[in-house]
Amino acid sequence: MKTRIITSIIALILFLPFLIIAKDTDANSLIAICQMITVVSSIELLKMTDFLKKLYVSIPCIAVAAAVPMMTKIRDGEFFSWCGITFFILAFYLLSVATFARKHTVQEYAMLFMLLFYVVTSASCIVMLYRQPYGEYIFILAFLCPWVTDSAAYFTGSALGKHKLIPEISPKKTVEGAVGGVIFCVVFVEIYLFSVGALIGLEVRALYGALAALVLSAVSMFGDLIMSLVKRFYKIKDYGDVFPGHGGMLDRFDSVLATAPFLFILYIIFEDFKLFV
């Protein structure tokens, strides 16, 4: 636990400056952060699925992981069009390799593609969030909500936890911890939004903020459990060792990759969903 805390503090110190300088017109620094997440995560996925040393598979996958976040510069609907085309080409290529190489099953290629698509598109949503009105303040919630939920759930579960949540996937998670994580997340988000609102002189829609925090907190836990299930399927403890005490990039950002798309979806589907007015 001591190692986890030290790593978290160091990561936060290194990460915060990137969030501050990310406030530029083209979000180049934020795109660079997302590329780092997608490229390192893709390498972890390739290693887990035993494709990393198959250069005819790993090179195209890593190239797509690096290219898609850059496509967010296209803006709006065109990004999704080019993203879809890129992944269609990758899918066609992997299925072709599966057809002729026959060194892995179609299911193995399909699993790799699905996980890569999930990770890369999710990370790209962070940049798309940044481009929304007041997005330079909103996109940070994609990071804060899961990290606050995770920390609060850990301490609440340690103190009060009696009922296991899904022990066959994550033995240490409890129902009490999950509830505590959601409550603390809602409170923290409201404090954050009102602080930002006071700073930039805007009114905060507290109800929308609470709703967003509730959804993102729950989704972040689902994201954690989903990637834990994948680890169990491949019989590994961690995706990597990038962060001592935490594991790999996917171990640290699994919840973020779940929350970013859902927060973006809220903004797309519900036109009136604005946290600041």
Side-chain angles (χ1 to χ4, degrees), residues 16-38:
L16 279 177
F18 278 100
L19 292 183
I20 295 172
I21 65 175
K23 297 178 182 180
D24 59 78
T25 304
D26 295 321
N28 290 322
S29 54
L30 187 58
I31 290 174
I33 292 174
C34 290
Q35 283 183 306
M36 178 184 66
I37 294 173
T38 55

Side-chain angles (χ1 to χ4, degrees), residues 18 24 43 78 88 90 117 168 196 208 217 228 270 274:
F18 278 100
D24 59 78
I43 293 173
E78 291 185 19
F88 169 77
L90 180 63
F117 177 84
E168 59 272 21
V196 172
Y208 283 11
S217 182
S228 293
F270 305 103
K274 300 291 184 293

Side-chain angles (χ1 to χ4, degrees), residues 85-103:
I85 291 171
T86 301
F87 274 104
F88 169 77
I89 294 172
L90 180 63
F92 184 84
Y93 172 77
L94 291 178
L95 289 172
S96 298
V97 171
T99 301
F100 293 100
R102 298 181 181 276
K103 293 183 179 180

Side-chain angles (χ1 to χ4, degrees), residues 28-229:
N28 290 322
S29 54
L30 187 58
I31 290 174
I33 292 174
C34 290
Q35 283 183 306
M36 178 184 66
I37 294 173
T38 55
V39 169
V40 176
S41 295
S42 68
I43 293 173
E44 291 175 351
L45 291 176
L46 287 162
K47 182 179 179 181
M48 178 185 71
T49 54
D50 198 29
F51 282 108
L52 184 59
K53 294 182 180 180
K54 311 292 191 303
L55 298 183
Y56 56 89
V57 173
S58 61
I59 291 178
C61 288
I62 294 172
V64 168
V68 171
M70 286 293 294
M71 293 179 185
T72 55
K73 285 177 170 289
I74 301 173
R75 297 177 180 271
D76 303 329
E78 291 185 19
F79 163 75
F80 296 103
S81 298
W82 282 103
C83 182
I85 291 171
T86 301
F87 274 104
F88 169 77
I89 294 172
L90 180 63
F92 184 84
Y93 172 77
L94 291 178
L95 289 172
S96 298
V97 171
T99 301
F100 293 100
R102 298 181 181 276
K103 293 183 179 180
H104 291 270
T105 65
V106 174
Q107 290 87 341
E108 289 175 306
Y109 283 102
M111 189 69 169
L112 171 64
F113 176 82
M114 180 184 69
L115 291 171
L116 190 68
F117 177 84
Y118 172 74
V119 168
V120 174
T121 54
S122 296
S124 298
C125 282
I126 296 172
V127 183
M128 299 301 288
L129 268 171
Y130 177 86
R131 300 195 187 283
Q132 302 307 305
Y134 307 110
E136 66 269 29
Y137 306 105
I138 301 301
F139 88 98
I140 296 178
L141 292 177
F143 295 91
L144 293 181
C145 285
W147 291 347
V148 169
T149 299
D150 182 57
S151 299
Y154 174 83
F155 289 109
T156 305
S158 298
L160 305 173
K162 293 181 179 179
H163 303 87
K164 298 295 182 181
L165 189 60
I166 308 181
E168 59 272 21
I169 296 178
S170 187
K172 295 182 179 181
K173 286 183 171 55
T174 63
V175 175
E176 292 81 4
V179 173
V182 172
I183 293 173
F184 274 94
C185 181
V186 171
V187 173
F188 186 89
V189 167
E190 292 289 8
I191 294 174
Y192 169 77
L193 291 177
F194 276 100
S195 298
V196 172
L199 182 66
I200 61 179
L202 291 174
E203 182 181 346
V204 176
R205 288 182 166 180
L207 182 60
Y208 283 11
L211 176 62
L214 180 64
V215 171
L216 296 181
S217 182
V219 166
S220 72
M221 288 186 280
F222 274 103
D224 186 7
L225 290 169
I226 288 168
M227 296 309 289
S228 293
L229 177 63

